[in-house]
């Protein structure tokens, strides 16, 4: 048998496959990165974040104005990364890549900036006695730097931050859903839940959810 025969046979098999079995080629990675950079530099990303936060703020103001039910404990849940804190300098500096060790160093430095439109929602909640919870995919080892970072940029008051246990097999979506359900079991009414990922918001555990844009990464 000629040496080329197996390769030719394999090629023939591939060519014989129905065209519908082939995936549509994705957008070139460089093109996608340029599109994200333009989305940010044009100001569109910031405008969309502000628009969602404004909706949340208006809703929260109306919800707070309603008389509380007897023994009602009102709470609001926030994600951290790309919701209350922006990691944009780190993301852009590393060309949208994720390297665990590099990310950990960034978190330890505590240099993330407040996302101001969302911080206004937080401020309104705190001012009106709504209990604040953070539920984050960050790990417990990140707690000291995370909490220092939050306080330094103006998030100075909260009831508790829930960190995803490191090495836990549970998905981020399930961890956050189960944590919200735990809060409800403890008697809290979650009047709003704000995050940038679908995994921040899935599950029927809040009166209203607000999804911020995130063109940089997906957490499931």
């Amino acid at each position: 048998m000629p040496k080329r025969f197996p390769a030719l046979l394999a090629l023939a098999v591939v060519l014989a496959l129905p065209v519908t079995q082939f995936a549509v080629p994705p957008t070139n990675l460089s093109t996608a990165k340029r599109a994200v950079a333009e989305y940010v530099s044009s100001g569109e990303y910031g405008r969309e974040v502000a628009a969602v936060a404004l909706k949340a703020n208006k809703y929260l103001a109306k919800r707070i104005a309603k008389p509380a039910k007897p023994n009602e404990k009102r709470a609001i849940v926030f994600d951290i990364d790309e919701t209350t804190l922006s990691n944009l300098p780190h993301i852009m500096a590393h060309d949208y890549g994720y390297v665990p060790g590099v990310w950990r160093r960034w978190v330890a430095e505590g240099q993330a900036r407040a996302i101001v439109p969302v911080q206004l929602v937080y401020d309104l909640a705190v001012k009106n006695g709504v209990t604040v919870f953070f539920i984050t995919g960050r790990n417990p080892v990140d707690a000291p730097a995370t909490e220092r970072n939050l306080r330094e940029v103006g998030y100075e008051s909260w009831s508790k931050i829930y960190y995803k246990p490191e090495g836990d097999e549970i998905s981020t979506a399930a961890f956050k859903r189960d944590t919200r359900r735990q809060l409800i079991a403890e008697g809290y009414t979650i009047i709003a839940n704000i995050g940038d990922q679908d995994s921040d918001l899935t599950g029927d555990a809040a009166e209203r959810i607000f999804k911020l844009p995130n063109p940089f990464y997906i957490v499931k």
Side-chain angles (χ1 to χ4, degrees):
M1 179 184 294
K3 292 182 179 180
R4 290 186 301 165
F5 184 77
L8 292 172
L9 179 60
L11 178 60
V13 170
V14 170
L15 292 175
L17 290 173
V19 174
T20 54
Q21 291 190 18
F22 290 94
V24 176
T27 302
N28 182 276
L29 183 58
S30 295
T31 302
K33 289 179 179 180
R34 283 197 298 271
V36 172
E38 175 61 24
Y39 177 59
V40 173
S41 64
S42 68
E44 188 60 25
Y45 170 60
R47 285 190 289 272
E48 291 192 11
V49 167
V52 175
L54 180 59
K55 289 180 181 179
N57 216 338
K58 288 181 176 179
Y59 160 75
L60 185 61
K62 289 181 180 179
R63 181 64 176 83
I64 290 170
K66 293 181 180 179
K69 298 176 183 178
N71 301 318
E72 183 180 51
K73 297 192 296 183
R74 296 173 175 176
I76 187 169
V77 170
F78 293 93
D79 171 52
I80 291 181
D81 294 301
E82 276 50 73
T83 297
T84 47
L85 294 179
S86 173
N87 302 293
L88 191 55
H90 168 82
I91 291 169
M92 302 292 278
H94 292 88
D95 198 30
Y96 310 101
Y98 170 69
V99 179
V102 176
W103 165 251
R104 275 284 167 81
R105 287 195 294 273
W106 164 257
V107 170
E109 291 169 359
Q111 297 299 309
R113 304 166 183 170
I115 297 180
V116 175
V118 177
Q119 194 168 40
L120 295 176
V121 182
Y122 163 88
D123 288 341
L124 180 63
V126 171
K127 182 179 179 180
N128 287 276
V130 178
T131 303
V132 173
F133 293 100
F134 293 100
I135 307 178
T136 177
R138 293 188 180 193
N139 303 136
V141 70
D142 300 319
T146 297
E147 293 170 24
R148 182 180 68 252
N149 194 167
L150 285 167
R151 290 190 174 98
E152 286 179 349
V153 299
Y155 298 101
E156 299 176 350
S157 176
W158 60 79
S159 179
K160 187 172 181 178
I161 300 178
Y162 292 88
Y163 297 90
K164 186 176 184 293
E166 190 166 14
D168 199 328
E169 295 298 323
I170 191 172
S171 68
T172 299
F175 160 69
K176 294 195 171 190
R177 178 201 64 209
D178 292 349
T179 303
R180 293 193 303 273
R181 289 177 178 176
Q182 175 186 330
L183 293 174
I184 291 174
E186 293 173 1
Y188 289 97
T189 298
I190 301 175
I191 61 177
N193 180 19
I194 304 176
D196 64 286
Q197 302 284 325
D198 289 337
S199 58
D200 297 330
L201 308 170
T202 54
D204 53 352
E207 290 183 350
R208 286 284 300 274
I209 61 175
F210 296 91
K211 169 70 167 61
L212 298 163
N214 183 340
F216 312 113
Y217 55 84
I218 294 176
V219 177
K220 295 184 178 180

